Amino acid sequence: MTKKLVIRFVKFERALAMQILEQEGVFIDTEHVKIDILPNLSVNRVFLRGSVRKLDWAVCSSYIAKTDNAERDEYLDKVVKWISEEQFSMGRKLEIGKECMVSLFDDIDGEDWVMGRLLAILPKHIRRRYIIQSKNDKGMATSWKYARPVSVSPKIDGDVYTWEMEVSE
C-alpha cells in the first residue's frame, strides 16, 4: 500500500498558500500535523484533509510572515520538516538493525544528524545510549545521544512537493 501526499505551496510577498493536490493512505494527528475538516496553515501546525470530501481542493488560508520573505521561507521549511518527520517516518519507532538518524546535539534543524544502522539501545541513564554502525565505516560502532527514525524527504518540482512511501497494510 502506498502513502502519498502532494501539496502545492505558493509563495507570495510575505505570505504562503497551500493546496493539497493528492492525499492517499492513512494520516494521523501528530504534534504539528493535524487532520481537520479542510487543509490549513497555522503558526505551529499544518492541517491536512479530513473526512469532508467537498473541501478537498480548498486553498487554505495563508500563513502571513510578520517581518519578511525569509520568515515565510523558514516557515515553509518547518512545515516540510513536520510532514516528513511526523507523517513519513520509516516506521514509528527505532528498531535494532534498521537505519536511523543520530546526533550528539538536540538540533531541531537536522544539520547535525547523520545516518547509520542501529545496533543497540543502552539503558536511559547512559548519556550516549544509541549505538550505530556508520554507513561509511562498516567495522566501527559509535555512540550517540539522540536517535530518530529515518524520514522521507519530498520530491520538489517547482512549487509542488510530493511525499511517497510504501507502508504495510
Side-chain angles (χ1 to χ4, degrees):
M1 180 172 158
T2 300
K3 181 175 185 177
K4 184 175 184 180
L5 180 63
V6 182
I7 301 178
R8 174 173 286 129
F9 290 105
V10 180
K11 294 179 181 180
F12 297 96
E13 187 65 32
R14 290 182 36 199
L16 178 71
M18 173 183 85
Q19 183 183 36
I20 296 176
L21 304 175
E22 187 175 344
Q23 181 176 322
E24 63 182 66
V26 177
F27 292 81
I28 58 170
D29 282 342
T30 57
E31 183 179 358
H32 299 101
V33 182
K34 303 293 182 188
I35 310 307
D36 205 359
I37 295 171
L38 72 154
N40 201 2
L41 296 169
S42 75
V43 175
N44 294 317
R45 289 185 178 80
V46 58
F47 296 88
L48 301 180
R49 290 177 179 170
S51 60
V52 180
R53 304 281 35 132
K54 68 181 179 179
L55 300 173
D56 278 358
W57 296 98
V59 175
C60 78
S61 59
S62 59
Y63 169 81
I64 307 296
K66 293 181 177 116
T67 56
D68 56 21
N69 289 334
E71 179 188 339
R72 175 208 61 205
D73 294 345
E74 287 174 22
Y75 175 75
L76 176 57
D77 290 344
K78 282 184 192 177
V79 169
V80 169
K81 180 180 180 292
W82 294 337
I83 293 170
S84 297
E85 292 180 1
E86 297 178 22
Q87 297 296 320
F88 288 89
S89 288
M90 300 291 202
R92 284 278 179 237
K93 61 182 183 167
L94 294 169
E95 291 184 48
I96 304 299
K98 302 284 184 181
E99 287 189 340
C100 68
M101 301 294 291
V102 291
S103 177
L104 292 175
F105 310 103
D106 188 14
D107 174 25
I108 60 170
D109 296 326
E111 294 175 14
D112 292 321
W113 292 84
V114 296
M115 189 178 297
R117 189 169 60 89
L118 187 63
L119 299 176
I121 303 174
L122 303 176
K124 289 183 181 182
H125 70 278
I126 296 174
R127 182 176 154 93
R128 292 172 61 166
R129 62 190 287 245
Y130 299 100
I131 311 300
I132 68 146
Q133 179 181 41
S134 167
K135 290 187 89 111
N136 300 332
D137 189 356
K138 303 267 188 239
M140 184 167 179
T142 54
S143 62
W144 300 80
K145 186 174 181 182
Y146 300 100
R148 67 180 187 210
V150 175
S151 58
V152 172
S153 295
K155 292 179 183 119
I156 303 170
D157 182 12
D159 59 2
V160 176
Y161 292 64
T162 302
W163 290 264
E164 189 169 13
M165 69 184 248
E166 291 299 317
V167 293
S168 58
E169 293 188 42

